Amino acid sequence: QVQLVESGGGLVQPGGSLSLTCVSSGFTLGLYGVGWFRQAPGKKREAISCISQNAALTEYADSVKGRFIISRGSDKKTVILEMNDLRHEDTAVYYCATENRFPRGFCVLDAERYQHYWGQGTQVSVSA
C-alpha cells in the first residue's frame, strides 16, 4: 500500500523537544522533495519546513527558524523534523507531504505545490 505516515507527536512542556518522523511505504521517499506543515484549530495550514530530494536545500518558516531541523534518514524512506524549544504556539497537527515534480535541489514552503502524497498528521501539544 502506498502511503505516507507521520509519527512522534505528543504532549510536551514548553521548552521541550520532540522529533517527528515521516515514513513512506510503497515508494522511496528519498526520490522526492518533502515538506512539513502544521495546522492549529481555527488557523490556516502553515508550511514550516522542506528539504529537497538531494538534501542540498532546506527551508524554514520564520516561526520555526533556529528551533527546528529537517533531515533525511539514511534509509531513504524517512524524513525527520527535530523540534526544539517548543512553545505553546507550536501546538498543531503536523503533516508531511511529497512532491515528485521538483528538481533535485529544490523545495518550497507552499502547501499547494505538494500534490504527490500527504500523510494523515500527528498531533503535537505544548502545554505545562
Side-chain angles (χ1 to χ4, degrees):
Q1 183 179 3
V2 177
Q3 61 179 354
L4 207 55
V5 178
E6 305 92 341
S7 64
L11 175 64
V12 63
Q13 293 185 343
S17 298
L18 281 175
S19 184
L20 304 184
T21 300
C22 177
V23 181
S24 66
S25 62
F27 69 101
T28 302
L29 194 59
L31 297 179
Y32 306 109
V34 176
W36 278 98
F37 310 86
R38 67 185 182 186
Q39 188 164 21
K43 294 189 176 181
K44 290 177 56 178
R45 182 171 52 186
E46 178 187 15
I48 57 173
S49 186
C50 69
I51 187 166
S52 63
Q53 178 194 341
N54 62 6
L57 175 67
T58 58
E59 297 280 7
Y60 299 94
D62 288 343
S63 57
V64 306
K65 196 172 295 183
R67 300 188 296 124
F68 290 13
I69 301 171
I70 190 171
S71 62
R72 288 191 178 271
S74 59
D75 59 1
K76 298 187 178 181
K77 291 188 175 182
T78 58
V79 168
I80 298 163
L81 185 68
E82 181 183 343
M83 307 188 297
N84 301 302
D85 188 24
L86 284 162
R87 306 167 181 171
H88 290 290
E89 54 265 37
D90 294 317
T91 295
V93 177
Y94 284 69
Y95 303 88
C96 63
T98 65
E99 175 51 47
N100 59 352
R101 295 172 296 176
F102 289 162
R104 294 183 72 245
F106 179 80
C107 72
V108 62
L109 295 180
D110 180 353
E112 297 301 318
R113 299 284 298 274
Y114 292 79
Q115 300 185 3
H116 188 222
Y117 290 110
W118 281 79
Q120 293 300 306
T122 184
Q123 176 70 46
V124 172
S125 299
V126 184
S127 175

